[in-house]
Amino acid sequence: MHSRIAGTGSYLPARVLTNAELALTVATSDEWIRTRTGIAQRHIAAEGEATSDVAHAASRRALDAAGIAPADVDLIVVATTTPDMVFPSTACILQHKLGAAGGAAFDVQAVCSGFVYGLAIADRMIASGMAKNALVVGAEVYSRILDWNDRSTCVLFGDGAGAVVLVPSAEPGILTAHLHADGSHRDILCVPGQVHNGVVTGTPFLHMDGGQVFKFAVKVLAECAEEALAACDMDADAIDWLIPHQANVRIMDSTAKKLHVPHERVVVTVDRHGNTSAASIPLALDEAVRDGRIRAGHHLMLLGVGGGFTWGSVFLRWT
């Protein structure tokens, strides 16, 4: 047994925060942000709008697209760095909001690689017979863990959610997946705060060494794409659409160049969404599916890299 994606969905909060608006409160400019990141705007969750809420909206759209009722979902995997609370998992909260009780539900914490990790896990659970209809969601409310006085980080991130429904298939939709991590790089991208005896200790805001993250990301994204192609005995010409984590347009361009994938075959949403961490790949996927770019028979390379450091790929055939 194999799995395939039967439906996609996404959700972006209503509020749009432009670079020009940010420049009114921090020492930056639209030109500075666009030149270094390619970002023009990002969406910001409303007060009281939780990760499970954005996940719920995206999940409903994915389920509708797949023609699957919530009651028929027996696995929910939510990739997030910004859960509603310490526990229970955002996946369990989402399950209740959907009315899909009974199946397994859990969160995956692999930061910006989380959706790739979650998709790989769900694929193997379907292949083994442990699950039938799986909902895999990437959902983030990063605006809650940003220091809005730090121009090196607050200009980069946004909120949103993307989701896919995986169903059993006699022919493989997901062809191969490869996951990696190296905790020795944990300090270059992290939120080092924690709750201790009811008090937040450490720093509860995102910290990033941008230069080191850039170098690491460009190296491993191309490597894990090549690993996936080798596993399928294909070369980069087989990639119809490259959908990398939407962190920075320069990272994406460098990865595409290393793989010899032309820019017009790279799905780019970072300019309008910013870096939405685990939500970025499913958001980009849903956009390209709904606007008709992705068609049956196309090969898609999904690439994630994030704090941990984690990285990975999922190579699939759209059916």
Side-chain angles (χ1 to χ4, degrees):
M1 183 59 65
H2 305 279
S3 77
R4 66 177 180 86
I5 295 176
T8 66
S10 61
Y11 171 79
L12 292 162
R15 184 191 172 199
V16 174
L17 178 62
T18 66
N19 292 345
E21 289 178 85
L22 271 174
L24 298 175
T25 57
V26 293
T28 189
S29 68
D30 178 62
E31 187 275 336
W32 190 92
I33 299 169
R34 284 179 186 261
T35 300
R36 289 159 179 79
T37 69
I39 298 169
Q41 63 178 47
R42 71 287 295 146
H43 291 253
I44 303 297
E47 188 67 29
E49 191 171 32
T51 297
S52 63
D53 294 323
V54 298
H56 180 245
S59 297
R60 285 285 183 186
R61 291 168 185 173
L63 289 166
D64 287 347
I68 299 290
D72 293 326
V73 174
D74 58 359
L75 172 63
I76 298 176
V77 182
V78 174
T80 187
T81 314
T82 56
D84 285 18
M85 57 186 73
V86 174
F87 72 85
S89 69
T90 301
C92 284
I93 298 170
L94 171 62
Q95 185 195 60
H96 174 67
K97 289 182 177 181
L98 287 170
F106 57 88
D107 289 357
V108 169
Q109 165 54 301
V111 198
C112 305
S113 305
F115 181 76
V116 168
Y117 267 60
L119 198 57
I121 293 166
D123 169 64
R124 290 297 85 201
M125 289 183 70
I126 289 175
S128 70
M130 288 185 67
K132 183 178 179 182
N133 298 319
L135 177 65
V136 183
V137 188
E140 303 284 13
V141 183
Y142 254 61
S143 57
R144 311 265 164 82
I145 59 170
L146 298 176
D147 178 352
W148 288 96
N149 295 309
D150 179 7
R151 75 166 187 173
S152 69
T153 56
C154 74
V155 304
L156 302 176
F157 296 89
D159 303 335
V164 303
V165 176
L166 281 183
V167 299
S169 174
E171 297 296 324
I174 293 180
L175 303 177
T176 189
H178 302 267
L179 307 177
H180 302 280
D182 184 349
S184 69
H185 299 284
R186 63 190 181 277
D187 293 333
I188 65 174
L189 179 56
C190 59
V191 178
Q194 59 181 291
V195 177
H196 182 72
N197 290 335
V199 177
V200 175
T201 61
T203 304
F205 298 123
L206 185 145
H207 162 77
M208 182 174 69
D209 182 335
Q212 291 301 313
V213 169
F214 184 94
K215 292 176 185 176
F216 189 89
V218 169
K219 176 178 181 293
V220 300
L221 285 175
E223 287 178 352
C224 64
E226 290 164 352
E227 179 183 27
L229 290 168
C232 295
D233 196 23
M234 297 182 185
D235 58 32
D237 289 341
I239 301 173
D240 292 294
W241 294 105
L242 179 64
I243 310 180
H245 166 50
Q246 309 281 314
N248 179 311
V249 74
R250 293 191 300 154
I251 293 175
M252 297 161 67
D253 286 345
S254 296
T255 301
K257 185 176 180 180
K258 282 193 170 190
L259 295 172
H260 305 290
V261 174
H263 180 75
E264 57 268 22
R265 297 215 313 262
V266 182
V267 179
V268 178
T269 58
V270 69
D271 55 327
R272 289 159 287 123
H273 299 173
N275 181 346
T276 54
S277 189
S280 80
I281 293 174
L283 276 166
L285 173 63
D286 183 55
E287 179 173 293
V289 168
R290 290 176 184 267
D291 68 19
R293 275 177 285 176
I294 293 174
R295 299 189 299 275
H298 280 179
H299 288 100
L300 283 56
M301 181 68 75
L302 314 184
L303 300 174
V305 60
F309 242 62
T310 64
W311 65 100
S313 63
V314 169
F315 190 44
L316 62 93
R317 180 184 296 114
W318 196 255
T319 58

